[in-house]
Amino acid sequence: MISFPSPVGTLLLYAFGFAVAAFQEETLFRGFLQTAIGHRFGEWPAVVVQASVFSLSQWGTTRLLRGTRS
């Protein structure tokens, strides 16, 4: 028989999952991407490009959560 975690366990699982996802996004987009672009093209182009790439990466997730395909 499958046992489900308690409500507190479920809350902690979600909190940990969101924390890990947020840490990975910050590391990838700001830590690596923005730094690499900043060294080559300067600070402002790096901020604009990383923000654009981050927005595009979230766009698919938003559509998925709403249940739309277009």
Side-chain angles (χ1 to χ4, degrees):
M1 186 161 147
I2 298 173
S3 64
F4 295 99
S6 68
V8 172
T10 301
L11 181 64
L12 289 172
L13 185 64
Y14 276 114
F16 181 73
F18 285 125
V20 169
F23 178 75
Q24 289 176 338
E25 286 180 347
E26 289 293 322
T27 302
L28 175 66
F29 289 105
R30 291 204 180 146
F32 295 128
L33 183 63
Q34 185 174 339
T35 302
I37 295 170
H39 285 305
R40 184 168 179 135
F41 299 106
E43 184 178 333
W44 280 105
V47 170
V48 170
V49 169
Q50 80 83 21
S52 300
V53 171
F54 179 77
S55 296
L56 288 173
S57 75
Q58 300 300 309
W59 184 50
T61 305
T62 303
R63 291 186 326 177
L64 179 65
L65 291 174
R66 283 188 289 161
T68 59
R69 291 189 169 181
S70 57

